[in-house]
Every structure is written in structure tokens, then in C-alpha cells.
């Protein structure tokens, strides 16, 4: 699913109005009705007090439509107008008049702190103060109103975007943004919902289709893509009946050092479980018995030390995953440097491999095109330097990717795969995956996909998705805390099966 910029969203709005020959007021009615439907569906007429806070722009206009529909359906509604400006939008004003016709009480005007209502824990708040039109800092009393709403324990539903959150930069004051329980967003998700600094405000997201012009949405370049099942299914390459293990490539996982052989075990298992035809673990001597015992399906090549001092293969691997548990001593750096100079196979670099690249940036010149690098935040910082905020981090990563023609997977809650200007935001995974070795599994999965002939970009995007999906399955079985990296490996198969699972349709006879 595409993610558009604010400007592209506004253009989509215009394209819809023009192509359908409807007014912006009608589009607002349609959009806000979708929010009402969702609420009504959940509340089923429950007489809970609902406080609707409306700004004076089109987000406020949506709020007024929601208030009117709630009133019409007998809910206990109180509407507030947050008067932060005299520039009320035309559609806001039209809906203000319509609300007055049906409201049991007139909207309450808020102009300062003295006007703030008391909010009780069990009440519901609809937040329609600011939408994607927020473009400057809040005046102090509006910031205080947002803090007042946050302080209450009310269940808060934000319309389109939590108020106070810019669609394209981080907030001026992190405390002056609504922490919403559910954000009902129009047509497409917003980029800020998936970044660590801003995603915290939009806990659950409901995307409602408001019928924006499909052709426009398809043609718009967007600024990112949200990767779910629909996006990865077309990437899947099925296996042929007359295939043999040679068809699916030979993955080589290079890494490990004394006390860190487990990382290679996990990655090698993951490559095999992802479908690699053959797998070889290239480890120091101390890892020989460990890998042979833990992964009997794999072959093992050893170097004669506790750390790798030479990486020398007498065949060309279909794919290489390198860096896990590697250590960063001088002889290993030299070995990696020599290997990278001569390597022409598709490659994933992780962990200490990244740390070595960060310390010796000259090595970046030797990378094969579209090398995949999978840093966690600390490794990324070593690689691209400090960033000011999440947007700066993305821009710096884009720069880096362009400069070195590499694919960077920024790992985290919503891992983002960056290739030049393209951003692919993953939508699987859970906090249970914040556990030792989980990244090694990802390296193995991506290597396994590369070995089967997936292009580097597809291997990265699909691999990150499968990894998260396997983690979700693992968490489903054990709960977040008990997930360990081995459980993610064990569920790679289920993650593949999940791709083809149809949503069950309720049986009419039994319902
Ligand atoms: N794009 C779409 O598909 C649709 C958008 N609609 C709604 O329209 C919203 C956008 O509406 P608007 O563009 O009117 O903007 P908002 O309602 O988000 O903001 C209100 C106005 O306040 C001004 N403003 C911005 N920051 C301010 C600040 N700190 N202090 C005081 N004033 C400030 C802006 O100039 C803006 O005109 C969307 O978020 C959505 O809720 C829907 O009504 C219909 C469909
Ligand atoms: N909160 C989270 N939600 C979803 N995925 C997560 C979360 N925390 C970590 N992960 C995933 O787990 C992996 C952790 O990788 P990494 O930090 O390199 O682990 P290790 O070095 O122990 O192998 C990454 O793929 C990351 O995206
Ligand atoms: K809002």
C-alpha cells in the first residue's frame, strides 16, 4: 500500500472531486461517515459520553459531521470548537450550520484554558482538532488542551492523524500531541505512523477507504510503500516439480568467533528453512563441532583459529551472508577486506561486518552492486553518523544508499528497507523479536532468498516480511517474552504457509 505526501494526498482529493464531479463537502461527508460507521459498529448505541473536539479546518469539519451522525443515532455527544484561528474553512462552516439543526445542545466554544471541560475516565474523546493541515507550532493554550486530553484516561479516537502530529516532520513538543488509542485515517496510512519517534502517538490504526480516485493513487509516485501480504505475494517464486537442490542455490554464511558460533547456527538454519538448496557455514575451527551438530543439513568449512583470519572459497556461492558473530580484530578485518574485493555473489552484510565497514569506509568501494546491509540502530549510526531525528535518519540513509548503490534495512519495530529514494516499510513483527539472535535469523532468511534467485531488493523486502511474520507466529504460540531467535527460525515455514492462507468466510448456515 502506497504512502503519499501531504501534497499528493491533497492532489488525490482534488482528482476525486473533479473525476466524480462531487463537491469537497460531499467528500467530507463520505469520509467522516466512514469514521462514524466504524464507531457505531463498535459502540452499538452504548450511552457513553462522547466529547468531540473540532478544529476550524477540514479535520474539524469531519468532527462536526461525526457529531451530527452520533446525535442522529441517539448518542450522548458534546461538541467543542477549538477556536485557534478565525480562518474557518468553508466546509467546516457548512457542517457547523448542519450540526446546529440537529444538536441537542450547541457546540461549546473553547478559547482558553478556563473553557476546558472535565473529562471522566470512562468517556470517549473524538480528536478532530488538526489533520494533515498542521503546519506550524501550536499556540500555548491549544497545546495545553492536548495535554489535558492526554491526562484524562478517556479512550481517544483521532480522525485522520493524532492532532499535533505533523505529517512530515517530528513534533515541536513531544508532549503536545494526542496519544490516540485508535487513529482512523483516510484512504492511506501516513509515514509518521511507522517511525519510532512519531509512531508512538498512533497506537492502533484503522484505514478507511473513502473512494479516492484509484487511477490517481496508482499513478502517484508516493513517498514510501507499506509492505503487507498483498505486496509480497507477487514476489514469491514457486518451486518446480522437476527441480533439485542445485536449483535453489548454495548459501554461504560467514561469521562466528569463540563464544559467538550460535549466530552462524541460527543464520544457517534460517537460510535452509527459507529454501536454500545447500548451505555452508564458514566458521573458525572452534565452531566446527557445534555447527555440524546443531545443523546437520549444512556443510562446514573452518579456518584454523578462534576468529576468522581468511575467507577463501573454492566455489562461487549463490549468495553470501557475512558478519554475524564475526568479531572485529585486525586479522578478521583483513580477511573481510580481501573477501569483499573479490566477491561477485549477491551478499548480505550484518553485525560486525557492518561495524568493520563503518570503521573502514574505504571497503564500501568494493561492495557488489545492491549489497544488502542490515544494521540495527546502533550499527546504522556507526555507518551514517548521528541523525537529528527520524526524518534526518531516513534522508541520511537514502544518501548512503545512493552513494554506495546498496540496500539498507533499518531494523526495528517497523523495519524500513531503503534503496535509493524508495522506502519499503515492513508491517509484520512484534516486540517479542527484540531478543538476542533475532537479527542473525534475518540475515539467514535474506541469504536463503538470494540463493534462490530473488533479486536483492525483493530478497530484502520479502525477507524482512517473512522474518516478522515468523516472529508473529512464534509470539502467538508463546507470548512476547518467551520468543527466542530459534522460535523465529522454527516458524519460517508457517510464515510461508500464511502467505497463501485465505481469510475464512463465515458460513451462512451456521451464523
Ligand atoms: N485529503 C482527503 O482525502 C480528505 C481530507 N479531509 C480532512 O481534511 C484534513 C485537512 O484539512 P485542512 O487542510 O483544512 O487542515 P487541518 O484541519 O488539518 O488544519 C486546520 C487549519 O489550521 C491551520 N493551521 C495549521 N497549523 C496551525 C497551528 N499550529 N495553529 C493554528 N492554525 C494552524 C492550517 O492552515 C489549516 O488550514 C484532513 O486531515 C482530513 O481530516 C476530509 O474532510 C475529506 C477528505
Ligand atoms: N520491537 C520490535 N518489533 C518488531 N521487530 C523487532 C523489534 N525489535 C527488534 N525487532 C527485529 O528483531 C531483529 C533484531 O536484530 P538485531 O538487533 O540485529 O539482533 P541480534 O544482533 O541479536 O541478532 C531485527 O530484524 C528487528 O527488526
Ligand atoms: K485529528
Amino acid at each position: 500500500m502506497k504512502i503519499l505526501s501531504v501534497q499528493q494526498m491533497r492532489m488525490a482529493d482534488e482528482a476525486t472531486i473533479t473525476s466524480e464531479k462531487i463537491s469537497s463537502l460531499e467528500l467530507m461527508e463520505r469520509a467522516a461517515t466512514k469514521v462514524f460507521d466504524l464507531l457505531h459498529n463498535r459502540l452499538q448505541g452504548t450511552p457513553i459520553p462522547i466529547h468531540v473536539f473540532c478544529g476550524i479546518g477540514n479535520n474539524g469539519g469531519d468532527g462536526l459531521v461525526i457529531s451530527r451522525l452520533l446525535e442522529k443515532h441517539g448518542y450522548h455527544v458534546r461538541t467543542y470548537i477549538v477556536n485557534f484561528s478565525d480562518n474557518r474553512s468553508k466546509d467546516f462552516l457548512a457542517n457547523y450550520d448542519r450540526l446546529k439543526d440537529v444538536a441537542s445542545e450547541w457546540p461549546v466554544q473553547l478559547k482558553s484554558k478556563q473553557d476546558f471541560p472535565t473529562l471522566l475516565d470512562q468517556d470517549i474523546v473524538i480528536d478532530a482538532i488538526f489533520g494533515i493541515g498542521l503546519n506550524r507550532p501550536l499556540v500555548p493554550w491549544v497545546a495545553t488542551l492536548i495535554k489535558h486530553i492526554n491526562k484524562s484516561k478517556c479512550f481517544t479516537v483521532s480522525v485522520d492523524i493524532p492532532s499535533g502530529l505533523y505529517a512530515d516532520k517530528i513534533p515541536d513538543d513531544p508532549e503536545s500531541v494526542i496519544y490516540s488509542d485508535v487513529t482512523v485515517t483516510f484512504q492511506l496510512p501516513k509515514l509518521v505512523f511507522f517511525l519510532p519517534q512519531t509512531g508512538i502517538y498512533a497506537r492502533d490504526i484503522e484505514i478507511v477507504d473513502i473512494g479516492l480516485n484509484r487511477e490517481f493513487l496508482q499513478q502517484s509516485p508516493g513517498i514510501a510503500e507499506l509492505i503487507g501480504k498483498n505486496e509480497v505475494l507477487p514476489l514469491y517464486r514457486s518451486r518446480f516439480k522437476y527441480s533439485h537442490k542445485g536449483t535453489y542455490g548454495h548459501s554461504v554464511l560467514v561469521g562466528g568467533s569463540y563464544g559467538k558460533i550460535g549466530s552462524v547456527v541460527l543464520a544457517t538454519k534460517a537460510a535452509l528453512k527459507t529454501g536454500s538448496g545447500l548451505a555452508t557455514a564458514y566458521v573458525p575451527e572452534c565452531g566446527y563441532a557445534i555447527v555440524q551438530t546443531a545443523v546437520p543439513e549444512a556443510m562446514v568449512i573452518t579456518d584454523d583459529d578462534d576468529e576468522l583470519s581468511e575467507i577463501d572459497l573454492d566455489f562461487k556461492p549463490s549468495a553470501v551472508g557475512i558478519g554475524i558473530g564475526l568479531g572485529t580484530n585486525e586479522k578478521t578485518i583483513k580477511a573481510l577486506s580481501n573477501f569483499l574485493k573479490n566477491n561477485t555473489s549477491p551478499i548480505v552484510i550484518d553485525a560486525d561486518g557492518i561495524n568493520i565497514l563503518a570503521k573502514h569506509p574505504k571497503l564500501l568501494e568494493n561492495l557488489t552492486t545492491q549489497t544488502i546491509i542490515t544494521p540495527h540502530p546502533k550499527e546504522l549510526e556507526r555507518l551514517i553518523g548521528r541523525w537529528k531525528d527520524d526524518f534526518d535518519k531516513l534522508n541520511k540513509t537514502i544518501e548512503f544508499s545512493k552513494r554506495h548503490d546498496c540496500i539498507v534495512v533499518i531494523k526495528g519495530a517497523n523495519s524500513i528497507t531503503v534503496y535509493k529514494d524508495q522506502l519499503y516499510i515492513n508491517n509484520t513483527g512484534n516486540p517479542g523479536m527484540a531478543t538476542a539472535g533475532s537479527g542473525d535469523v534475518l540475515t539467514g532468511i535474506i541469504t536463503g532468498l538470494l540463493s534462490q534467485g530473488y533479486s536483492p531488493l525483493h530478497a530484502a523486502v520479502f525477507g524482512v516480511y517473512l522474518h516478522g511474520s515468523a516472529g508473529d507466529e512464534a509470539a502467538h504460540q508463546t507470548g512476547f517474552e518467551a520468543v527466542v531467535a530459534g522460535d523465529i527460525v522454527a516458524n519460517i515455514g508457517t510464515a510461508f504457509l500464511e502467505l497463501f492462507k485465505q481469510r475464512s468466510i463465515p458460513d451462512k448456515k451456521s451464523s
Side-chain angles (χ1 to χ4, degrees):
M1 189 179 270
K2 252 181 217 169
I3 295 179
L4 303 191
S5 67
V6 173
Q7 200 198 359
Q8 289 164 342
M9 274 310 281
R10 290 199 193 283
M11 284 160 69
D13 215 353
E14 281 308 311
T16 311
I17 288 167
T18 312
S19 69
E20 286 192 35
K21 298 193 178 60
I22 55 168
S23 64
S24 56
L25 189 63
E26 284 167 301
L27 185 59
M28 179 177 282
E29 187 75 16
R30 191 198 285 179
T33 303
K34 291 275 182 168
V35 184
F36 164 76
D37 288 345
L38 202 135
L39 286 167
H40 188 39
N41 224 328
R42 304 253 171 106
L43 293 174
Q44 298 284 329
T46 315
I48 303 175
I50 304 177
H51 305 266
V52 186
F53 290 90
C54 304
I56 49 70
N58 288 341
N59 196 252
D62 293 332
L64 293 173
V65 175
I66 296 166
S67 278
R68 165 164 43 88
L69 295 173
L70 287 168
E71 285 269 4
K72 273 192 173 167
H73 286 76
Y75 285 95
H76 293 190
V77 190
R78 177 161 285 180
T79 307
Y80 308 90
I81 307 300
V82 187
N83 277 306
F84 50 75
S85 156
D86 293 331
N87 290 330
R88 298 175 165 198
S89 80
K90 159 175 114 329
D91 294 339
F92 168 92
L93 287 169
N95 275 309
Y96 192 45
D97 287 340
R98 283 188 187 177
L99 176 66
K100 283 196 214 155
D101 291 342
V102 299
S104 47
E105 57 176 65
W106 276 37
V108 180
Q109 305 291 326
L110 305 183
K111 285 199 176 98
S112 72
K113 216 175 146 180
Q114 282 68 44
D115 306 327
F116 293 176
T118 304
L119 302 169
L120 302 178
D121 290 1
Q122 64 274 22
D123 297 353
I124 290 179
V125 165
I126 309 289
D127 152 34
I129 306 173
F130 290 106
I132 57 172
L134 182 75
N135 55 18
R136 53 189 185 274
L138 305 177
V139 289
W141 75 266
V142 176
T144 310
L145 172 66
I146 286 180
K147 287 179 189 152
H148 177 69
I149 295 172
N150 282 341
K151 220 157 131 202
S152 76
K153 301 264 177 336
C154 298
F155 189 86
T156 303
V157 179
S158 289
V159 178
D160 206 21
I161 186 168
S163 294
L165 188 58
Y166 295 112
D168 50 11
K169 58 179 178 171
I170 62 148
D172 308 299
D173 169 15
E175 290 313 312
S176 303
V177 181
I178 293 284
Y179 281 92
S180 80
D181 292 289
V182 177
T183 299
V184 186
T185 200
F186 294 138
Q187 198 72 41
L188 299 174
K190 319 300 183 245
L191 177 61
V192 277
F193 297 165
F194 306 102
L195 305 178
Q197 278 183 302
T198 48
I200 47 172
Y201 302 104
R203 213 180 59 187
D204 285 341
I205 302 156
E206 293 276 355
I207 302 166
V208 287
D209 185 344
I210 61 167
L212 292 188
N213 188 275
R214 302 254 163 233
E215 212 180 313
F216 180 91
L217 296 180
Q218 254 163 24
Q219 282 166 5
S220 173
I223 50 167
E225 189 158 2
L226 184 65
I227 302 296
K229 196 196 275 197
N230 288 341
E231 286 70 28
V232 296
L233 260 177
L235 308 184
Y236 174 76
R237 297 160 64 106
S238 54
R239 286 167 94 94
F240 309 109
K241 178 175 175 183
Y242 297 103
S243 58
H244 50 84
K245 64 190 174 207
T247 316
Y248 302 115
H250 188 165
S251 298
V252 175
L253 287 307
V254 186
S257 50
Y258 188 82
K260 288 187 183 163
I261 299 297
S263 58
V264 186
V265 169
L266 286 165
T268 308
K269 270 192 191 170
L272 285 164
K273 285 288 237 178
T274 306
S276 185
L278 296 162
T280 291
Y282 195 112
V283 290
E285 175 70 29
C286 62
Y288 182 75
I290 302 168
V291 181
Q292 288 272 275
T293 314
V295 203
E297 300 87 350
M299 294 170 278
V300 185
I301 302 176
T302 63
D303 189 5
D304 58 1
D305 208 339
D306 279 352
E307 276 137 349
L308 288 177
S309 53
E310 193 180 20
I311 307 163
D312 190 17
L313 294 166
D314 59 4
F315 62 95
K316 183 171 188 268
S318 320
V320 177
I322 196 163
I324 46 203
L326 191 65
T328 56
N329 77 35
E330 280 308 316
K331 59 185 181 188
T332 307
I333 294 171
K334 218 165 171 191
L336 180 72
S337 161
N338 286 337
F339 179 78
L340 291 178
K341 260 184 212 147
N342 299 314
N343 174 61
T344 53
S345 301
I347 186 167
V348 190
I349 306 181
D350 187 28
D352 279 337
I354 301 173
N355 294 330
I356 294 173
L357 290 181
K359 267 204 167 151
H360 304 272
K362 256 198 130 14
L363 296 184
L364 290 163
E365 290 163 19
N366 298 325
L367 300 184
T368 52
T369 55
Q370 301 197 346
T371 289
I372 302 166
I373 306 181
T374 54
H376 61 51
K378 208 69 217 158
E379 289 158 355
L380 183 67
E381 188 182 309
R382 290 180 196 127
L383 203 60
I384 64 169
R386 288 224 168 147
W387 49 81
K388 217 169 59 222
D389 57 47
D390 285 344
F391 283 91
D392 189 35
K393 173 174 73 180
L394 286 179
N395 289 334
K396 286 197 158 86
T397 309
I398 289 170
E399 269 287 295
F400 182 90
S401 163
K402 283 184 180 165
R403 197 162 354 114
H404 302 290
D405 191 11
C406 62
I407 296 162
V408 183
V409 177
I410 306 177
K411 292 190 294 195
N414 286 103
S415 295
I416 304 183
T417 301
V418 180
Y419 183 52
K420 299 189 173 168
D421 281 320
Q422 299 157 356
L423 305 177
Y424 303 88
I425 302 175
N426 189 54
N427 209 13
T428 54
N430 62 78
M433 299 175 75
T435 179
S438 161
D440 306 328
V441 178
L442 178 68
T443 300
I445 291 177
I446 297 176
T447 310
L449 292 174
L450 285 174
S451 82
Q452 293 170 77
Y454 284 80
S455 73
L457 186 58
H458 288 179
V461 171
F462 189 24
V464 170
Y465 175 90
L466 279 175
H467 179 249
S469 177
D472 288 342
E473 188 56 37
H476 189 68
Q477 291 159 9
T478 66
F480 292 153
E481 286 75 8
V483 172
V484 291
D487 299 334
I488 306 175
V489 179
N491 281 290
I492 294 172
T494 320
F496 274 107
L497 292 176
E498 176 61 32
L499 287 175
F500 300 99
K501 230 190 224 166
Q502 301 287 330
R503 281 232 178 111
S504 58
I505 301 164
D507 182 354
K508 270 196 187 151
K509 277 183 231 150
S510 62
S511 62

